[in-house]
Amino acid sequence: MRKLALLSGLLIVLSIIAASCAPRPGVIKIGLNVELTGGIPVVGQSCKNAAELFVEEVNKAGGIEVGGRKYTIQLLIEDNEDKAESAAAAALKLHTEGVLLMIGPNASRNAIPASEVAEANKMPMITPWSTNPKTTLDPKTGAPKKYVFRACFIDDFQGAVAAKLAVDLGVKKPAVLFDVASEYNKGIAEFFKKTIEQLGYPVVAYETYTKGDKDFSAQLTKIINSGADGLFLPNYYTEVPLQVQQARKLGFKGIIFGSDSWGNLELIDLCGPDCDGLFFTTHYAPDIATPKAQAFIKAYEAKYGKTPDDVAALTYDAFGLAVTAIKQAGKIDREAVVAALRGITQYEGVTGVMEYRGTGDPIKSAVVLKVDVPGRKFTYYTTAKP
């Protein structure tokens, strides 16, 4: 009798969960798997801001028309705490809550495990900011994942752009310092090294650290003793200021440059004058924005009182891709949405034109920005085309 009562209770609980996860009539659930806490909370907040702006705009305009019927978007947000295991758990939770697709995570160290959950559960996923190739590739076969897409370029392209930037800036003896435990940092460091050595400039120092380290003096001393005249730091905006400041304090006089993980104004706040005039590769430049990008920037500034960074712009593009696919799918069905995403060969977003050639990785241009500390802004330097 007791077992029967327990079973009845369990069935009631499951019924309640099932009912709560079922989509409401006229509503499409989209999940957001995002780094709101942990090591890069500003990235997470930018992503969340852009997501909420996009959803607000769509719903205020009457929603999305799918198969002759209007739907509004319900945004389900999960904080992945900037941890791989939490990102995977957040992806699974969004799947069980019945989202049509998931946007995020952003950091590759989170996007890669979350993409495995998305692929296993046949849940479409679009990462705004994860540039590591592993995010969209099957780890066993090396073939493209079926359900995983991204709105940004990948690191083999960005690593090559950074290498060519170094040569253009006059670097002849490059050095690299990167987080060996992070897929993003490690991957782009490897692509940079490969390209610049192909260009005829051997890397004279290739030093590593792990997330959470605060003292880089041992690695930087080796870099200085190597005679390096350039230092590539493909690391996050929360880590770069200490690395730049310690390098200068130890006497490094060479050129310092970085990657898209620098692209948040908190870097300027944390670094100060030591970062003035440094360069980094990234996804878009607000000061040369297209009319579509200008409209997004204006709306974002009106709502949040600040200029959107690259994560915000890429998140907005990821939602744009998602809604385009949902409309083209003609029905609220994950397989139909994936087929529609795969059918998109070109999309004009606020970060530029993206071309898809049979995979989830777009072919698109990168830009190089210069850090302007007195102006507390990043200014356009040049564009690098694929």
Side-chain angles (χ1 to χ4, degrees):
M1 190 67 185
R2 187 179 177 190
K3 287 184 178 178
L4 183 61
L6 287 172
L7 180 60
S8 298
L10 179 61
L11 289 173
I12 291 171
V13 171
L14 290 174
S15 299
I16 293 171
I17 293 174
S20 66
C21 294
R24 298 199 307 270
V27 172
I28 295 172
K29 290 182 179 180
I30 295 181
L32 189 69
N33 189 335
V34 63
E35 295 83 351
L36 291 175
T37 56
I40 49 172
V42 178
V43 165
Q45 190 60 51
S46 291
C47 179
K48 178 173 177 285
N49 286 350
E52 290 178 336
L53 172 63
F54 186 95
V55 171
E56 180 181 292
E57 289 176 347
V58 168
N59 289 344
K60 276 187 177 178
I64 310 169
E65 184 169 335
V66 185
R69 182 180 177 183
K70 284 279 190 177
Y71 292 84
T72 57
I73 298 174
Q74 180 186 358
L75 188 63
L76 277 63
I77 301 175
E78 288 294 326
D79 177 14
N80 63 41
E81 304 174 305
D82 190 22
K83 295 178 181 175
E85 62 274 19
S86 298
L92 188 58
K93 184 177 181 185
L94 290 170
H95 162 67
T96 57
E97 289 181 342
V99 300
L100 182 59
L101 57 82
M102 176 177 73
I103 305 293
N106 292 289
S108 293
R109 59 193 177 214
N110 307 318
I112 293 170
S115 73
E116 298 298 326
V117 175
E119 191 75 0
N121 289 283
K122 300 181 178 181
M123 174 176 64
M125 163 181 163
I126 305 174
T127 174
W129 200 52
S130 170
T131 51
N132 191 291
K134 292 180 182 177
T135 301
T136 53
L137 294 178
D138 185 304
K140 295 180 180 176
T141 65
K145 289 170 182 166
K146 180 180 177 183
Y147 297 89
V148 184
F149 301 80
R150 72 177 99 218
C152 53
F153 48 65
I154 57 176
D155 282 338
D156 55 354
F157 170 63
Q158 183 174 200
V161 171
K164 291 171 183 172
L165 170 66
V167 174
D168 290 344
L169 294 174
V171 174
K172 299 184 185 315
K173 297 178 181 178
V176 186
L177 173 65
F178 64 98
D179 180 356
V180 72
S182 171
E183 292 287 354
Y184 165 81
N185 310 52
K186 183 172 177 284
I188 195 168
E190 290 171 349
F191 287 120
F192 170 82
K193 184 175 185 292
K194 178 181 177 182
T195 304
I196 201 162
E197 289 187 340
Q198 287 174 341
L199 293 171
Y201 302 95
V203 173
V204 296
Y206 198 61
E207 297 295 321
T208 66
Y209 67 95
T210 56
K211 183 183 177 183
D213 287 355
K214 303 295 183 187
D215 182 0
F216 309 97
S217 56
Q219 298 96 320
L220 291 168
T221 299
K222 290 181 182 176
I223 288 169
I224 292 169
N225 290 339
S226 73
D229 60 359
L231 174 58
F232 181 44
L233 299 174
N235 307 319
Y236 289 100
Y237 66 91
T238 49
E239 303 165 322
V240 169
L242 268 180
Q243 294 164 357
V244 171
Q245 290 164 349
Q246 290 180 21
R248 295 305 191 204
K249 191 174 181 180
L250 288 168
F252 183 74
K253 305 293 186 186
I255 294 167
I256 300 177
F257 53 104
S259 55
D260 63 317
S261 49
W262 287 30
N264 192 284
L265 291 176
E266 191 171 349
L267 177 131
I268 291 177
D269 300 335
L270 294 171
C271 192
D274 285 321
C275 281
D276 191 43
L278 305 189
F279 297 90
F280 64 97
T281 57
T282 192
H283 305 271
Y284 97 123
D287 47 352
I288 60 161
T290 62
K292 184 171 185 176
Q294 287 172 358
F296 160 67
I297 292 169
K298 184 178 179 181
Y300 191 98
E301 289 178 338
K303 186 173 177 63
Y304 300 111
K306 56 185 177 182
T307 302
D309 59 18
D310 60 340
V311 179
L314 288 167
T315 300
Y316 197 83
D317 281 349
F319 272 84
L321 281 166
V323 166
T324 299
I326 292 169
K327 288 178 180 175
Q328 291 180 0
K331 54 184 176 180
I332 310 304
D333 176 84
R334 287 181 175 177
E335 293 294 336
V337 170
V338 166
L341 277 169
R342 293 216 164 272
I344 296 175
T345 57
Q346 190 173 82
Y347 178 79
E348 183 182 354
V350 301
T351 61
V353 176
M354 311 173 198
E355 286 188 35
Y356 290 87
R357 300 175 184 174
T359 73
D361 300 330
I363 309 297
K364 59 190 296 190
S365 297
V367 296
V368 177
L369 300 186
K370 187 176 183 180
V371 181
D372 176 1
V373 172
R376 198 178 178 274
K377 61 184 179 180
F378 304 132
T379 58
Y380 173 77
Y381 178 68
T382 189
T383 297
K385 296 182 179 179

